[in-house]
Amino acid sequence: MAMINTEMPVNMPLTSSISSKRHLTIADCDAIDLAKEFGTPLWVLDEETIRENCRKYKKEFQKHHTDAEVVYASKALSNTAVLQIVTSEGLGIDVVSGGELYTAKMAKVAPEKIYFHGNNKSASELEEALDYGVGRIVVDNLQEIEKLTRIATEKNKQVNILLRVNPGIEAHTHEFIQTGKVDSKFGFSKEVLADIVQKVQGIPCLQFCGLHVHIGSQIQETKAFLLTIEEILDTWSLVRRKTKAELKELNLGGGIGIEYLPTELSPQIEHFARDITKTLEYKIKELKIPKPKLIIEPGRSIIGKAGITLYTVGTIKDIPEVRKYVCVDGGMADNPRPITYGAAYDAVIANKILEPKNDVVTIAGKFCESGDILIKNFHLQKAEEGDILAVFSTGAYNYSMSSNYNRFVKPAMILVNKGKAKVILKRENYEDLVRNDLPL
């Protein structure tokens, strides 16, 4: 396929280009052809972008810290094909529910590569985790210690655990996705950590391996992560003197942001890895503690920019001197982030990508909520009914948080690579909507 040579914005998949037809292409697949073949709304994932991000994370962290493991936070996007891709690149998998664990099992993820998180794990979820032999259970609270002890004792199993600690760091991100500040449902407070470690040391079926921290999501600067390392290791130094325990593993969670807009600047993986490992090295030398294994859990920064969503333009409503609405055939059910977080996105008309963005419009969905707005007051090419709109950076948390609101079916998801497209998630149909309904 002939291409027009032009530099593409940073918020698009790595393989993005423009064809001789002046259409957007991803991995040599014409977006207009994809929309015709698979229908819209359509989630499109670029395999090369996913793999390149996985490789870059592994390379950069292991370059600076040889005992480092990269674990994909599957809550960003969990389905069988995606987990197969990231594990084939050597990453572990972070799961937070029985459903995510089951998906990992279906993807044949090695159990020792699975980290099981969650602030309110049920007894049945813990049983499933122990039966599968997951590598680490990240313990979040005292009740979970008691529950896990009972289940492990009954099953005669020893469990490797990390303790999740709330570092008291408030990352600069939306309050709904801050998880490390003092007022949080997640983790043990620093003040009780020594007592918790001592308690775990007295339980034969629990093997204390280390600590886990996670301060939030879509964080656009590294300072909060560096402060977290210093804070958690200062805390650990005091705990170590009191308990004589060693910190074999330090899991720093995930959370670095991506560019949703072409004008944004997010931390680059190589700089993030360098700064994290440099701070860790400095701090362990200062405190004279053994170097722990380093674990990092990226999600959005692996999958986010690999995804785009294709929509078909329908109604165009122009209210003079007020607003021009361009309505598409999806919206808040396939992307709830704008109505939930006020998240911002970038888009183009895929079949008019080289035309000037002279129209100021609001991209509206077709759901029965006035707040069903994907992008507000946005410069776009002149839209007409039947055009294909491409919204960028939709790989993370769109499918994961999608719904059947208004009894809409969920879109299909396709994986594109080297000019070929493969369905990795079937489009739902009306029968799927009523499959679990029981009539009177």
Side-chain angles (χ1 to χ4, degrees), residues 403-424:
S403 74
N404 292 115
Y405 184 53
N406 288 160
R407 284 299 220 188
F408 272 72
V409 298
K410 292 184 181 180
M413 182 181 295
I414 62 171
L415 185 71
V416 293
N417 190 28
K418 297 178 180 177
K420 295 182 179 180
K422 178 181 176 60
V423 177
I424 60 172

Side-chain angles (χ1 to χ4, degrees), residues 3 8 34 38 70 72 113 119 124 157 182 196 198 206 229-230 253 266 289 293 302 345 349 396:
M3 299 291 176
M8 306 303 281
L34 294 176
F38 300 103
V70 181
Y72 171 63
K113 299 283 285 184
N119 70 302
S124 61
K157 291 180 179 289
V182 174
I196 298 300
Q198 284 186 323
L206 302 185
I229 293 172
E230 295 188 4
S266 296
I289 60 178
K293 175 180 180 179
I302 283 179
Y345 283 89
I349 296 180

Side-chain angles (χ1 to χ4, degrees), residues 169-186 214-219 300 337 340-342:
I169 301 293
E170 188 167 328
H172 295 160
T173 186
H174 193 283
E175 64 176 314
F176 290 176
I177 48 180
Q178 292 175 349
T179 58
K181 57 184 182 179
V182 174
D183 182 6
S184 173
K185 70 178 184 178
F186 297 104
H214 180 68
I215 57 173
S217 187
Q218 187 53 18
I219 300 169
R300 184 195 316 264
R337 294 186 68 253
T340 305
Y341 304 141

Side-chain angles (χ1 to χ4, degrees), residues 138-327:
V138 181
V139 174
D140 201 273
N141 52 70
L142 187 59
Q143 287 173 275
E144 186 178 342
I145 291 176
E146 296 167 352
K147 192 185 303 181
L148 185 57
T149 299
R150 174 179 56 80
I151 295 170
T153 301
E154 290 173 354
K155 291 181 175 291
N156 193 29
K157 291 180 179 289
Q158 189 172 63
V159 187
N160 294 320
I161 68 169
L162 301 176
L163 298 176
R164 178 161 180 171
V165 185
N166 187 331
I169 301 293
E170 188 167 328
H172 295 160
T173 186
H174 193 283
E175 64 176 314
F176 290 176
I177 48 180
Q178 292 175 349
T179 58
K181 57 184 182 179
V182 174
D183 182 6
S184 173
K185 70 178 184 178
F186 297 104
F188 295 99
S189 69
K190 295 177 296 182
E191 291 73 20
V192 303
L193 182 57
D195 292 338
I196 298 300
V197 171
Q198 284 186 323
K199 180 178 180 64
V200 169
Q201 286 177 314
I203 303 174
C205 63
L206 302 185
Q207 179 64 46
F208 171 70
C209 296
L211 303 178
H212 175 276
V213 291
H214 180 68
I215 57 173
S217 187
Q218 187 53 18
I219 300 169
Q220 295 288 52
E221 46 82 33
T222 60
K223 182 179 179 180
F225 292 99
L226 308 185
L227 291 174
T228 297
I229 293 172
E230 295 188 4
E231 186 68 29
I232 200 65
L233 289 182
D234 282 337
T235 299
W236 176 253
S237 182
L238 299 175
V239 172
R240 181 175 182 251
R241 287 201 291 269
K242 183 175 181 179
T243 65
K244 308 304 181 186
E246 292 295 356
L247 184 68
K248 298 177 183 177
E249 300 175 8
L250 177 60
N251 188 326
L252 292 176
I256 69 169
I258 63 170
E259 296 93 348
Y260 281 96
L261 304 177
T263 54
E264 289 181 330
L265 183 64
S266 296
Q268 300 303 296
I269 295 172
E270 56 268 35
H271 300 155
F272 179 63
R274 180 199 62 202
D275 293 348
I276 289 287
T277 52
K278 184 178 179 180
T279 301
L280 177 61
E281 187 76 21
Y282 158 77
K283 200 65 184 176
I284 61 176
K285 285 182 179 178
E286 176 192 300
L287 298 172
K288 296 181 174 60
I289 60 178
K291 180 187 291 187
K293 175 180 180 179
L294 175 63
I295 303 155
I296 195 80
E297 294 176 332
R300 184 195 316 264
S301 54
I302 283 179
I303 202 75
K305 291 195 293 184
I308 68 170
T309 305
L310 300 179
Y311 301 99
T312 300
V313 173
T315 299
I316 298 173
K317 180 179 180 180
D318 193 355
I319 308 172
E321 299 183 13
V322 177
R323 193 181 309 278
K324 185 176 185 178
Y325 289 96
V326 173
C327 301

Side-chain angles (χ1 to χ4, degrees), residues 8-176:
M8 306 303 281
V10 295
N11 59 329
M12 296 170 65
L14 294 175
T15 63
S16 302
S17 189
I18 302 172
S19 74
S20 58
K21 295 181 180 179
R22 306 169 77 86
H23 292 174
L24 171 68
T25 70
I26 307 295
D28 290 336
C29 294
D30 189 307
I32 310 309
D33 294 340
L34 294 176
K36 288 178 180 177
E37 181 177 358
F38 300 103
T40 59
L42 181 67
W43 289 308
V44 181
L45 287 179
D46 176 37
E47 184 173 348
E48 185 174 325
T49 299
I50 301 171
R51 290 190 181 278
E52 176 60 23
N53 288 336
C54 291
R55 291 167 185 168
K56 186 174 288 187
Y57 260 110
K58 281 193 65 180
K59 174 187 174 184
E60 295 300 329
F61 270 93
Q62 292 176 357
K63 179 169 69 176
H64 299 289
H65 192 101
T66 53
D67 191 12
E69 183 175 14
V70 181
V71 177
Y72 171 63
S74 70
K75 61 181 177 286
L77 196 166
S78 176
N79 63 30
T80 306
V82 168
L83 298 193
Q84 288 175 324
I85 291 171
V86 297
T87 53
S88 73
E89 294 294 340
L91 273 61
I93 299 295
D94 150 2
V95 302
V96 298
S97 71
E100 288 185 355
L101 175 60
Y102 185 80
T103 305
K105 289 164 63 176
M106 292 301 99
K108 295 183 169 51
V109 179
E112 66 272 14
K113 299 283 285 184
I114 297 176
Y115 289 68
F116 197 171
H117 296 256
N119 70 302
N120 187 26
K121 305 178 191 71
S122 68
S124 61
E125 287 175 324
L126 291 172
E127 289 171 2
E128 291 162 10
L130 266 60
D131 289 342
Y132 193 56
V134 302
R136 298 288 184 272
I137 291 182
V138 181
V139 174
D140 201 273
N141 52 70
L142 187 59
Q143 287 173 275
E144 186 178 342
I145 291 176
E146 296 167 352
K147 192 185 303 181
L148 185 57
T149 299
R150 174 179 56 80
I151 295 170
T153 301
E154 290 173 354
K155 291 181 175 291
N156 193 29
K157 291 180 179 289
Q158 189 172 63
V159 187
N160 294 320
I161 68 169
L162 301 176
L163 298 176
R164 178 161 180 171
V165 185
N166 187 331
I169 301 293
E170 188 167 328
H172 295 160
T173 186
H174 193 283
E175 64 176 314
F176 290 176

